[in-house]
Amino acid sequence: MSLPPLVGPGPALRPDQVSRYSRHLLVPGMGMAAQRRLLAARVAVVGAGGLGSPALAYLAAAGVGHLTIIDDDDVDATNLQRQVIHRADAVGTPKGESAAAFVRGLNPDVSVEVRHTRLEADTAEDLLRGHHVVLDGADNFPTRYAVSDACGALGIPLVWAAVLRFDAQVSTFVPGIEDAVSLRDLFPVPPRPQDVPSCSEAGVLGALVGQVGSIMAAEVVKLLCGFGEPLVGRVLLIDALSQRTREVPLRPVGAVVQPVEREHVREIVPLPEVSPREVEDLLAPDLRSGAPTLLDVREPAEHELGTLPGALLVPVGEVLNWDDLDHHLPEGPVVVYCKAGPRAQRAAAHLVRLGREDVSVMSGGILGWIEQVDPSLPSY
């Protein structure tokens, strides 16, 4: 999906700017007008960490005229493995100030504003208002939802990504277009904190955040200048371990249309959860005739590490491509699971949208099953 540019061209380029951005000016779709749009643009970057670091570096190098950096954290020595915008002598200083110093040193054309504060639901709109695009490099779901909700309310396009270990997801949400989606369509129900380990708990490949942050910066540039095809209605999945990428379509899922008088109002359908212990009880021999269908939505390579007995193995991308339930699932209740929970939430919400009512998610995914039921499986 191509979109019109978000920013009008700014003043004519000075001779030194023509030289500085000359490699941009040669790129089809860029040229003088696009570079002038970049210099007139205002972009907010939430988080100056793993994703924010490469994104800020490339946005500044590209000549985005104004960057607002929103981050309440300080630079820690453990950040330096991946947050390349910070230096060793910045440890202990605010990340926003460290990142701003890097940006100012890289490109004097770029003005920088630092907001050393935590973005929350009640402050998000005030912090993001007045920007053309928001780039979300946050590392927790409450902040991600707050950013997404504020962008939806303000009508600001949002470039979003999440990274953990060797895996990443990237998408772009543009409010107001036909079939617009948001983070709440990708994750209709917030996962519990214990189901989504942080980088400090699970680790992350440093080079992967550089790859993803650069993709996010490219998405911002395309949106501002109005060329190319942004990741709208699509989620890019990156597996750095196998160096494979794939896409899954993203539609308005987990939402139902109310009666005619409220036909424009969408409400999230709550997805019930069952614990691994409860699933084990449902699979007991004396209850087997009424046992639910187990749907494992992990990728094939993950099955080598164990599956639940009798589970159907269908990757989440295939489930999200189903247009109906004919021949896909037997009748009766369905329990969906993945590694930890987020993919299962998306798949289960899609099944609800297709009309299956008795759908639940196994909390904690296969990791929860290993912890509560069968520790003999490898804990990956």
Side-chain angles (χ1 to χ4, degrees):
M1 173 185 293
S2 59
L3 296 169
L6 294 174
V7 188
L13 300 184
R14 304 186 308 266
D16 63 303
Q17 290 175 324
V18 172
S19 175
R20 182 182 189 100
Y21 306 115
S22 60
R23 300 303 184 267
H24 259 182
L25 304 182
L26 297 172
V27 175
M30 287 289 296
M32 290 282 192
Q35 189 61 55
R36 289 164 57 197
R37 294 183 198 277
L38 289 180
L39 287 164
R42 296 177 57 86
V43 175
V45 177
V46 181
L51 295 173
S53 286
L56 283 164
Y58 278 102
L59 291 175
V64 172
H66 177 85
L67 294 171
T68 299
I69 303 171
I70 305 169
D71 196 307
D72 71 332
D73 201 5
D74 295 334
V75 180
D76 186 85
T78 61
N79 303 149
L80 303 181
Q81 161 258 2
R82 63 200 179 281
Q83 299 180 18
V84 294
I85 209 169
H86 307 298
R87 299 291 180 260
D89 58 5
V91 170
T93 65
K95 282 186 181 178
E97 296 296 343
S98 171
F102 179 96
V103 168
R104 293 185 184 108
L106 177 62
N107 192 346
D109 287 340
V110 180
S111 65
V112 190
E113 178 183 3
V114 178
R115 304 299 298 272
H116 187 70
T117 184
R118 176 175 290 274
L119 185 148
E120 298 179 330
D122 59 349
T123 63
E125 289 190 29
D126 287 339
L127 289 169
L128 302 179
R129 184 177 286 108
H131 295 91
H132 296 106
V133 180
V134 173
L135 186 148
D136 181 8
D139 61 358
N140 65 87
F141 270 90
T143 301
R144 290 167 179 158
Y145 279 119
V147 172
S148 178
D149 293 345
C151 286
L154 296 168
I156 301 175
L158 169 64
V159 177
W160 169 90
V163 180
L164 190 69
R165 291 177 175 162
F166 298 101
D167 301 306
Q169 303 173 24
V170 193
S171 191
T172 294
F173 308 124
V174 179
I177 63 173
E178 185 178 358
D179 293 327
V181 290
S182 73
L183 185 64
R184 291 191 182 275
D185 292 297
L186 183 58
F187 296 106
V189 176
R192 301 178 307 169
Q194 60 266 39
D195 294 338
V196 186
S198 66
C199 291
S200 62
E201 297 168 322
V204 63
L205 180 67
L208 177 59
V209 297
Q211 178 183 357
V212 175
S214 298
I215 292 172
M216 296 175 79
E219 286 290 288
V220 171
V221 170
K222 289 189 296 181
L223 288 168
L224 293 172
C225 298
F227 67 86
E229 185 179 354
L231 281 166
V232 177
R234 300 176 290 146
V235 182
L236 177 65
L237 306 179
I238 302 171
D239 178 355
L241 196 58
S242 63
Q243 205 51 267
R244 290 186 173 92
T245 62
R246 60 179 299 184
E247 290 182 5
V248 295
L250 181 59
R251 303 165 182 163
V253 297
V256 296
V257 176
Q258 299 300 311
V260 175
E261 63 270 16
R262 298 183 63 199
E263 63 181 0
H264 298 298
V265 179
R266 300 190 307 160
E267 295 183 0
I268 299 301
V269 176
L271 296 174
E273 292 190 355
V274 290
S275 71
R277 289 287 189 192
E278 290 172 320
V279 173
E280 181 188 31
D281 291 341
L282 292 172
L283 298 178
D286 56 341
L287 297 175
R288 193 69 187 101
S289 60
T293 298
L294 301 177
L295 180 60
D296 185 329
V297 297
R298 295 174 297 157
E299 297 301 312
E302 299 175 87
H303 301 154
E304 299 177 3
L305 299 166
T307 63
L308 270 61
L312 295 178
L313 311 178
V314 186
V316 64
E318 293 185 26
V319 175
L320 295 177
N321 273 320
W322 290 351
D323 293 323
D324 55 53
L325 293 174
D326 293 345
H327 312 301
H328 291 303
L329 293 173
E331 296 296 326
V334 180
V335 175
V336 189
Y337 73 93
C338 59
K339 178 180 176 180
R343 286 175 287 178
Q345 294 281 356
R346 284 157 40 211
H350 187 59
L351 297 181
V352 171
R353 190 181 71 84
L354 294 178
R356 182 57 65 91
E357 296 181 354
D358 194 355
V359 180
S360 56
V361 173
M362 186 173 76
S363 59
I366 195 71
L367 295 181
W369 180 268
I370 293 169
E371 179 182 352
Q372 299 181 29
V373 178
D374 187 1
S376 67
L377 294 179
S379 179
Y380 68 107

PDB file of all heavy atoms in Angstrom, residues 310-328:
ATOM      1  N   GLY A 310      -1.105 -34.824  20.790  1.00  0.00           N
ATOM      2  CA  GLY A 310      -2.235 -34.708  19.887  1.00  0.00           C
ATOM      3  C   GLY A 310      -2.473 -33.326  19.316  1.00  0.00           C
ATOM      4  O   GLY A 310      -3.498 -33.096  18.653  1.00  0.00           O
ATOM      5  N   ALA A 311      -1.568 -32.381  19.533  1.00  0.00           N
ATOM      6  CA  ALA A 311      -1.795 -31.010  19.070  1.00  0.00           C
ATOM      7  C   ALA A 311      -1.736 -30.917  17.551  1.00  0.00           C
ATOM      8  O   ALA A 311      -0.950 -31.615  16.899  1.00  0.00           O
ATOM      9  CB  ALA A 311      -0.776 -30.073  19.686  1.00  0.00           C
ATOM     10  N   LEU A 312      -2.580 -30.045  16.989  1.00  0.00           N
ATOM     11  CA  LEU A 312      -2.471 -29.678  15.582  1.00  0.00           C
ATOM     12  C   LEU A 312      -1.377 -28.628  15.447  1.00  0.00           C
ATOM     13  O   LEU A 312      -1.336 -27.663  16.213  1.00  0.00           O
ATOM     14  CB  LEU A 312      -3.796 -29.106  15.075  1.00  0.00           C
ATOM     15  CG  LEU A 312      -5.000 -30.049  15.039  1.00  0.00           C
ATOM     16  CD1 LEU A 312      -6.234 -29.284  14.564  1.00  0.00           C
ATOM     17  CD2 LEU A 312      -4.738 -31.225  14.119  1.00  0.00           C
ATOM     18  N   LEU A 313      -0.497 -28.807  14.470  1.00  0.00           N
ATOM     19  CA  LEU A 313       0.657 -27.934  14.320  1.00  0.00           C
ATOM     20  C   LEU A 313       0.450 -27.038  13.096  1.00  0.00           C
ATOM     21  O   LEU A 313       0.625 -27.467  11.950  1.00  0.00           O
ATOM     22  CB  LEU A 313       1.934 -28.762  14.165  1.00  0.00           C
ATOM     23  CG  LEU A 313       2.126 -29.891  15.203  1.00  0.00           C
ATOM     24  CD1 LEU A 313       3.410 -30.662  14.915  1.00  0.00           C
ATOM     25  CD2 LEU A 313       2.138 -29.333  16.608  1.00  0.00           C
ATOM     26  N   VAL A 314       0.058 -25.775  13.351  1.00  0.00           N
ATOM     27  CA  VAL A 314      -0.212 -24.832  12.266  1.00  0.00           C
ATOM     28  C   VAL A 314       0.427 -23.499  12.636  1.00  0.00           C
ATOM     29  O   VAL A 314       0.015 -22.860  13.604  1.00  0.00           O
ATOM     30  CB  VAL A 314      -1.725 -24.627  12.041  1.00  0.00           C
ATOM     31  CG1 VAL A 314      -1.951 -23.743  10.809  1.00  0.00           C
ATOM     32  CG2 VAL A 314      -2.449 -25.952  11.904  1.00  0.00           C
ATOM     33  N   PRO A 315       1.443 -23.022  11.905  1.00  0.00           N
ATOM     34  CA  PRO A 315       2.076 -21.740  12.240  1.00  0.00           C
ATOM     35  C   PRO A 315       1.065 -20.598  12.261  1.00  0.00           C
ATOM     36  O   PRO A 315       0.080 -20.607  11.521  1.00  0.00           O
ATOM     37  CB  PRO A 315       3.104 -21.551  11.112  1.00  0.00           C
ATOM     38  CG  PRO A 315       3.373 -22.921  10.606  1.00  0.00           C
ATOM     39  CD  PRO A 315       2.074 -23.667  10.748  1.00  0.00           C
ATOM     40  N   VAL A 316       1.329 -19.614  13.105  1.00  0.00           N
ATOM     41  CA  VAL A 316       0.387 -18.515  13.293  1.00  0.00           C
ATOM     42  C   VAL A 316       0.085 -17.792  11.977  1.00  0.00           C
ATOM     43  O   VAL A 316      -1.050 -17.350  11.734  1.00  0.00           O
ATOM     44  CB  VAL A 316       0.907 -17.525  14.357  1.00  0.00           C
ATOM     45  CG1 VAL A 316       2.192 -16.847  13.906  1.00  0.00           C
ATOM     46  CG2 VAL A 316      -0.142 -16.491  14.710  1.00  0.00           C
ATOM     47  N   GLY A 317       1.073 -17.677  11.098  1.00  0.00           N
ATOM     48  CA  GLY A 317       0.840 -16.998   9.828  1.00  0.00           C
ATOM     49  C   GLY A 317      -0.215 -17.690   8.985  1.00  0.00           C
ATOM     50  O   GLY A 317      -1.015 -17.035   8.313  1.00  0.00           O
ATOM     51  N   GLU A 318      -0.240 -19.035   9.017  1.00  0.00           N
ATOM     52  CA  GLU A 318      -1.258 -19.769   8.269  1.00  0.00           C
ATOM     53  C   GLU A 318      -2.629 -19.591   8.901  1.00  0.00           C
ATOM     54  O   GLU A 318      -3.638 -19.425   8.201  1.00  0.00           O
ATOM     55  CB  GLU A 318      -0.883 -21.248   8.200  1.00  0.00           C
ATOM     56  CG  GLU A 318       0.353 -21.542   7.373  1.00  0.00           C
ATOM     57  CD  GLU A 318       0.608 -23.025   7.233  1.00  0.00           C
ATOM     58  OE1 GLU A 318      -0.369 -23.811   7.317  1.00  0.00           O
ATOM     59  OE2 GLU A 318       1.779 -23.413   7.059  1.00  0.00           O
ATOM     60  N   VAL A 319      -2.682 -19.618  10.224  1.00  0.00           N
ATOM     61  CA  VAL A 319      -3.964 -19.420  10.899  1.00  0.00           C
ATOM     62  C   VAL A 319      -4.548 -18.052  10.539  1.00  0.00           C
ATOM     63  O   VAL A 319      -5.741 -17.919  10.251  1.00  0.00           O
ATOM     64  CB  VAL A 319      -3.803 -19.551  12.431  1.00  0.00           C
ATOM     65  CG1 VAL A 319      -5.114 -19.210  13.143  1.00  0.00           C
ATOM     66  CG2 VAL A 319      -3.356 -20.957  12.808  1.00  0.00           C
ATOM     67  N   LEU A 320      -3.703 -17.032  10.542  1.00  0.00           N
ATOM     68  CA  LEU A 320      -4.184 -15.682  10.250  1.00  0.00           C
ATOM     69  C   LEU A 320      -4.609 -15.525   8.788  1.00  0.00           C
ATOM     70  O   LEU A 320      -5.285 -14.552   8.446  1.00  0.00           O
ATOM     71  CB  LEU A 320      -3.102 -14.655  10.589  1.00  0.00           C
ATOM     72  CG  LEU A 320      -2.740 -14.545  12.076  1.00  0.00           C
ATOM     73  CD1 LEU A 320      -1.618 -13.545  12.272  1.00  0.00           C
ATOM     74  CD2 LEU A 320      -3.946 -14.157  12.917  1.00  0.00           C
ATOM     75  N   ASN A 321      -4.235 -16.476   7.935  1.00  0.00           N
ATOM     76  CA  ASN A 321      -4.660 -16.436   6.535  1.00  0.00           C
ATOM     77  C   ASN A 321      -5.973 -17.174   6.303  1.00  0.00           C
ATOM     78  O   ASN A 321      -6.520 -17.123   5.192  1.00  0.00           O
ATOM     79  CB  ASN A 321      -3.576 -17.042   5.639  1.00  0.00           C
ATOM     80  CG  ASN A 321      -2.538 -16.018   5.214  1.00  0.00           C
ATOM     81  OD1 ASN A 321      -2.872 -14.884   4.918  1.00  0.00           O
ATOM     82  ND2 ASN A 321      -1.278 -16.424   5.197  1.00  0.00           N
ATOM     83  N   TRP A 322      -6.462 -17.881   7.323  1.00  0.00           N
ATOM     84  CA  TRP A 322      -7.728 -18.589   7.156  1.00  0.00           C
ATOM     85  C   TRP A 322      -8.858 -17.578   6.968  1.00  0.00           C
ATOM     86  O   TRP A 322      -9.000 -16.629   7.742  1.00  0.00           O
ATOM     87  CB  TRP A 322      -8.033 -19.458   8.380  1.00  0.00           C
ATOM     88  CG  TRP A 322      -7.143 -20.658   8.526  1.00  0.00           C
ATOM     89  CD1 TRP A 322      -6.248 -21.131   7.617  1.00  0.00           C
ATOM     90  CD2 TRP A 322      -7.041 -21.509   9.672  1.00  0.00           C
ATOM     91  NE1 TRP A 322      -5.596 -22.235   8.123  1.00  0.00           N
ATOM     92  CE2 TRP A 322      -6.065 -22.501   9.374  1.00  0.00           C
ATOM     93  CE3 TRP A 322      -7.677 -21.551  10.909  1.00  0.00           C
ATOM     94  CZ2 TRP A 322      -5.729 -23.494  10.285  1.00  0.00           C
ATOM     95  CZ3 TRP A 322      -7.343 -22.546  11.810  1.00  0.00           C
ATOM     96  CH2 TRP A 322      -6.377 -23.515  11.497  1.00  0.00           C
ATOM     97  N   ASP A 323      -9.689 -17.811   5.955  1.00  0.00           N
ATOM     98  CA  ASP A 323     -10.865 -16.975   5.735  1.00  0.00           C
ATOM     99  C   ASP A 323     -12.126 -17.589   6.336  1.00  0.00           C
ATOM    100  O   ASP A 323     -13.143 -16.915   6.474  1.00  0.00           O
ATOM    101  CB  ASP A 323     -11.093 -16.741   4.238  1.00  0.00           C
ATOM    102  CG  ASP A 323      -9.989 -15.897   3.615  1.00  0.00           C
ATOM    103  OD1 ASP A 323      -9.506 -14.973   4.305  1.00  0.00           O
ATOM    104  OD2 ASP A 323      -9.609 -16.171   2.464  1.00  0.00           O
ATOM    105  N   ASP A 324     -12.076 -18.880   6.647  1.00  0.00           N
ATOM    106  CA  ASP A 324     -13.175 -19.567   7.322  1.00  0.00           C
ATOM    107  C   ASP A 324     -12.574 -20.761   8.054  1.00  0.00           C
ATOM    108  O   ASP A 324     -11.371 -21.007   8.004  1.00  0.00           O
ATOM    109  CB  ASP A 324     -14.256 -20.011   6.318  1.00  0.00           C
ATOM    110  CG  ASP A 324     -13.670 -20.862   5.193  1.00  0.00           C
ATOM    111  OD1 ASP A 324     -12.983 -21.865   5.483  1.00  0.00           O
ATOM    112  OD2 ASP A 324     -13.893 -20.523   4.009  1.00  0.00           O
ATOM    113  N   LEU A 325     -13.439 -21.504   8.749  1.00  0.00           N
ATOM    114  CA  LEU A 325     -12.949 -22.628   9.551  1.00  0.00           C
ATOM    115  C   LEU A 325     -13.202 -23.972   8.895  1.00  0.00           C
ATOM    116  O   LEU A 325     -12.924 -25.017   9.500  1.00  0.00           O
ATOM    117  CB  LEU A 325     -13.616 -22.592  10.938  1.00  0.00           C
ATOM    118  CG  LEU A 325     -13.224 -21.399  11.809  1.00  0.00           C
ATOM    119  CD1 LEU A 325     -14.035 -21.382  13.090  1.00  0.00           C
ATOM    120  CD2 LEU A 325     -11.743 -21.420  12.132  1.00  0.00           C
ATOM    121  N   ASP A 326     -13.729 -23.974   7.667  1.00  0.00           N
ATOM    122  CA  ASP A 326     -14.027 -25.223   6.985  1.00  0.00           C
ATOM    123  C   ASP A 326     -12.770 -26.071   6.829  1.00  0.00           C
ATOM    124  O   ASP A 326     -11.755 -25.619   6.295  1.00  0.00           O
ATOM    125  CB  ASP A 326     -14.622 -24.946   5.594  1.00  0.00           C
ATOM    126  CG  ASP A 326     -15.996 -24.308   5.680  1.00  0.00           C
ATOM    127  OD1 ASP A 326     -16.580 -24.349   6.775  1.00  0.00           O
ATOM    128  OD2 ASP A 326     -16.472 -23.778   4.656  1.00  0.00           O
ATOM    129  N   HIS A 327     -12.845 -27.300   7.329  1.00  0.00           N
ATOM    130  CA  HIS A 327     -11.784 -28.304   7.174  1.00  0.00           C
ATOM    131  C   HIS A 327     -10.516 -27.977   7.972  1.00  0.00           C
ATOM    132  O   HIS A 327      -9.552 -28.744   7.909  1.00  0.00           O
ATOM    133  CB  HIS A 327     -11.396 -28.486   5.698  1.00  0.00           C
ATOM    134  CG  HIS A 327     -12.564 -28.648   4.782  1.00  0.00           C
ATOM    135  ND1 HIS A 327     -13.488 -29.661   4.920  1.00  0.00           N
ATOM    136  CD2 HIS A 327     -12.983 -27.902   3.718  1.00  0.00           C
ATOM    137  CE1 HIS A 327     -14.413 -29.551   3.976  1.00  0.00           C
ATOM    138  NE2 HIS A 327     -14.140 -28.486   3.241  1.00  0.00           N
ATOM    139  N   HIS A 328     -10.486 -26.878   8.679  1.00  0.00           N
ATOM    140  CA  HIS A 328      -9.274 -26.536   9.416  1.00  0.00           C
ATOM    141  C   HIS A 328      -9.267 -27.110  10.833  1.00  0.00           C
ATOM    142  O   HIS A 328      -8.229 -27.598  11.300  1.00  0.00           O
ATOM    143  CB  HIS A 328      -9.117 -25.009   9.499  1.00  0.00           C
ATOM    144  CG  HIS A 328      -8.812 -24.364   8.190  1.00  0.00           C
ATOM    145  ND1 HIS A 328      -7.726 -24.700   7.421  1.00  0.00           N
ATOM    146  CD2 HIS A 328      -9.471 -23.386   7.497  1.00  0.00           C
ATOM    147  CE1 HIS A 328      -7.710 -23.970   6.320  1.00  0.00           C
ATOM    148  NE2 HIS A 328      -8.759 -23.164   6.338  1.00  0.00           N
TER     149      HIS A 328
END
